[in-house]
Amino acid sequence: VAMEAARDTAIHEKSTRERRRPEKPVSDPLCDGVRKFIVPLNLTDAYGPTFTIVECRSLHDIIRYAHEKAVLAMFEAGDITLEKGGASIHVVETMVPFHVNIIDLGGGLARGEKRRFVPPAAVLSTPFIALWEGIATPGLRWGPPPGAVNIGSVMSKYLIDQRSPRPLGMPNYAIISRDYLNLNARMDFHFVMIDGLCGLTSRSNYVRFRFKGGGTSKGQCKRRATLIASILEGEGFFTDVRGDLVNGTIQGVTAEHLTEKLVVLGRLLGFTRLLDAAMQSDEIVEEMVLAFQEGDYALSRFEDQ
């Protein structure tokens, strides 16, 4: 009797599980047919010969193409103004190997400043001052890191890049006001965007950071992205990493707190330059995060490795 009861119980439980098991969704031919015109991304190489409007086969392709051309148009607009000698664009004069042109929306530069080349001290923009403090950190390495390899791969990328619509060496731009900064920069083979508001009202303050690209393999670029995200998370940023793309955000904090984070972002610009060339293993990511956190921005601990 006990065995029969146990058997009946097992049969009942199996029947219950089968009834609760979710059914596999039925494929909808209409949705499947529409999806292929929306989701796939074919324009994956902005520097390749196939990055043209005629190669757009999906809505995703159109959005990617339009975004890339919009970024190029933004840079080119600044180039044209600079070539005309417009007083609205100023070049930051510095020995730091990071070159940026400033577009002042009002209050970002010292009153009456008309010079084309201005020293960092002439900039009054609170977020830019903080960012530049990080950029100008003594001992910050701007060249290739110790242990960098695959230079041949980097040079190959450089030769391809010179045929792109916006090759290396073109100007970077920062739009500023007294409490606002929007920096769009191309550094070697990656792009950086920093957008921030740093005023008296904490709930309105924010900084957004975006980093994408690299001159080496996808694996190395992804490791550098993981490193950047780890550093940002340690500083209280909310982060999102997708391949070599890193997004980081902080908002609703005091101006004092926000400027501290902008100093960190400035240091990251130099610290991560060409760093993907040294990212040969997953283990090195944690070591380099620790080096940054301990202030070893020149990566001196890796000199003999």
Side-chain angles (χ1 to χ4, degrees):
V1 174
M3 292 180 61
E4 290 180 356
R7 183 189 62 191
D8 292 342
T9 301
I11 293 174
H12 175 72
E13 290 178 351
K14 181 180 179 181
S15 176
T16 302
R17 286 196 302 269
E18 290 177 349
R19 288 198 303 269
R20 292 177 179 175
R21 185 178 300 163
E23 295 183 0
K24 185 178 180 180
V26 178
S27 177
D28 185 338
L30 178 60
C31 289
D32 292 341
V34 173
R35 186 179 293 111
K36 70 179 182 180
F37 294 110
I38 299 176
V39 177
L41 178 63
N42 305 293
L43 301 187
T44 56
D45 184 6
Y47 305 106
T50 60
F51 197 87
T52 65
I53 190 65
V54 297
E55 294 294 332
C56 290
R57 303 172 189 171
S58 69
L59 183 59
H60 198 168
D61 286 336
I62 294 173
I63 293 173
R64 176 69 181 90
Y65 182 83
H67 175 266
E68 182 69 22
K69 294 304 179 182
V71 171
L72 290 174
M74 178 194 66
F75 278 110
E76 289 170 0
D79 293 343
I80 294 171
T81 304
L82 192 62
E83 290 173 1
K84 291 180 178 179
S88 60
I89 292 186
H90 306 264
V91 182
V92 178
E93 197 171 29
T94 175
M95 296 299 293
V96 177
F98 179 73
H99 307 290
V100 61
N101 299 321
I102 288 177
I103 302 174
D104 182 22
L105 300 180
L109 289 173
R111 184 183 296 274
E113 182 61 73
K114 298 295 183 182
R115 292 174 294 177
R116 180 174 179 180
F117 295 91
V118 298
V123 182
L124 303 181
S125 171
T126 299
F128 186 90
I129 291 172
L131 182 71
W132 197 264
E133 179 183 339
I135 290 173
T137 298
L140 191 63
R141 178 186 292 273
W142 288 88
V149 296
N150 286 347
I151 298 301
S153 172
V154 173
M155 289 304 298
S156 177
K157 186 71 175 288
Y158 173 82
L159 294 175
I160 295 174
D161 178 80
Q162 291 305 298
R163 299 193 295 269
S164 69
R166 190 168 187 83
L168 285 172
M170 301 298 284
N172 301 315
Y173 293 96
I175 300 172
I176 64 171
S177 69
R178 187 60 184 257
D179 56 5
Y180 176 72
L181 164 68
N182 180 280
L183 170 70
N184 281 274
R186 170 136 193 224
M187 301 180 61
D188 301 304
F189 304 104
H190 66 266
F191 290 88
V192 173
M193 186 279 291
I194 298 175
D195 184 79
L197 181 67
C198 188
L200 299 177
T201 307
S202 296
R203 66 175 179 273
S204 299
N205 291 339
Y206 71 89
V207 61
R208 299 189 184 99
F209 173 83
R210 173 169 288 191
F211 184 107
K212 180 174 176 58
T216 55
S217 69
K218 290 182 179 180
Q220 289 171 265
C221 293
K222 186 175 181 179
R223 291 189 189 106
R224 178 170 60 174
T226 301
L227 175 146
I228 292 171
S230 296
I231 292 174
L232 293 178
E233 288 168 4
E235 293 292 334
F237 282 77
F238 292 97
T239 65
D240 176 54
V241 182
R242 301 184 185 185
D244 62 3
L245 170 65
V246 184
N247 288 301
T249 305
I250 280 184
Q251 58 187 20
V253 298
T254 65
E256 181 180 8
H257 185 78
L258 198 66
T259 54
E260 291 175 359
K261 303 311 174 186
L262 283 162
V263 172
V264 173
L265 293 183
R267 289 173 181 152
L268 264 180
L269 295 184
F271 184 77
T272 57
R273 185 183 180 195
L274 297 174
L275 194 61
D276 54 328
M279 308 299 285
Q280 296 301 304
S281 67
D282 293 338
E283 291 73 25
I284 202 172
V285 173
E286 186 174 346
E287 295 180 49
M288 289 191 170
V289 169
L290 186 61
F292 184 89
Q293 293 172 339
E294 293 180 351
D296 183 12
Y297 306 122
L299 294 173
S300 57
R301 67 185 67 189
F302 297 95
E303 291 287 356
D304 300 325
Q305 296 186 14

